Amino acid sequence: MSRRQTPRPDNMSLPRIWLMTDTRFSDDLLPAIRRLPFRSGVIFRHYDLAHVTRLALFRQVRRICRQRGHMLLLAGDERTARCWHADGYHARGGQRRSGNMVRSAPVHDLRELAEAKRNGVDLMLISPVFATASHPGAVVLGRGGLMRLAKLAPGLKVIALGGMNATKAALLKVHGWAAIDAFRR
């Protein structure tokens, strides 16, 4: 099976460390992906780019991810992720997975948790755990809020997001963590 036809991995092979792409990276995005530990994950967002520019950047990111053994998810729909040869997709809302691609979803509250479970996600990115530059002034869940939501989703992999770094992640009892600023230089 070619890399373009990556089967949906079992839950044990899902990365524990995830980089969320963001325009705040500017020229440091590709070096940041190279600095990630081998077999980490990348969720490619960059929603604000024109389609052609976004696809070109995605291809550069994909090439580095393949070299480093990283899993690459495209923020958006499953069809586009498949066409762009991503390993999966990151989407909120009522999109139920139709194929074997990895599916992640953002979870901020009980409603989104129920929706993620209903849609058959592999990973839930629960946020914001701590204060974050991405959402200044947002109410944070804290460790307790993260754990309360995680306990309501037995069997699903939980990724902590929002103000995260390796030190904070070590204190949490979830599958892994994701960040933007922790990976920027």
Side-chain angles (χ1 to χ4, degrees):
M1 184 170 286
S2 76
R3 181 67 175 169
R4 291 179 180 199
Q5 298 170 327
T6 304
R8 189 167 146 232
D10 63 28
N11 282 341
M12 297 309 291
S13 64
L14 294 172
R16 293 182 179 274
I17 298 172
W18 290 84
L19 179 149
M20 306 285 289
T21 74
D22 188 275
T23 53
R24 288 179 285 167
F25 275 102
S26 65
D27 294 337
D28 194 39
L29 176 61
L30 302 179
I33 293 169
R34 286 185 189 101
R35 288 190 303 266
L36 287 171
F38 189 70
R39 295 185 191 257
S40 292
V42 174
I43 297 177
F44 184 85
R45 298 181 316 159
H46 280 77
Y47 307 107
D48 57 332
L49 297 178
H51 176 80
V52 172
T53 306
R54 186 175 188 231
L55 177 57
L57 181 57
F58 178 84
R59 287 177 174 158
Q60 290 179 300
V61 168
R62 186 181 63 206
R63 187 177 64 252
I64 295 167
C65 286
R66 299 299 182 249
Q67 292 167 351
R68 303 276 303 145
H70 299 330
M71 183 175 284
L72 176 60
L73 306 185
L74 176 66
D77 63 275
E78 183 177 11
R79 182 175 172 266
T80 304
R82 192 172 304 285
C83 289
W84 287 19
H85 306 293
D87 298 312
Y89 63 109
H90 178 74
R92 72 174 72 236
Q95 298 179 23
R96 180 150 180 83
R97 178 181 41 231
S98 63
N100 63 353
M101 298 189 90
V102 172
R103 163 85 191 270
S104 69
V107 171
H108 302 94
D109 54 37
L110 289 171
R111 182 189 58 76
E112 289 180 342
L113 173 69
E115 193 171 78
K117 288 168 59 174
R118 189 173 47 252
N119 291 323
V121 302
D122 300 293
L123 293 168
M124 294 187 311
L125 281 80
I126 298 179
S127 73
V129 179
F130 302 111
T132 174
S134 297
H135 303 285
V139 175
V140 299
L141 295 167
R143 183 178 178 193
L146 168 71
M147 297 316 296
R148 278 190 293 282
L149 287 173
K151 284 180 183 176
L152 294 173
L156 289 178
K157 299 297 182 188
V158 171
I159 303 297
L161 174 64
M164 295 301 303
N165 60 38
T167 303
K168 291 176 184 175
L171 302 174
L172 303 174
K173 293 184 175 152
V174 294
H175 181 74
W177 63 284
I180 298 167
D181 291 326
F183 300 115
R184 292 177 58 218
R185 280 201 176 166

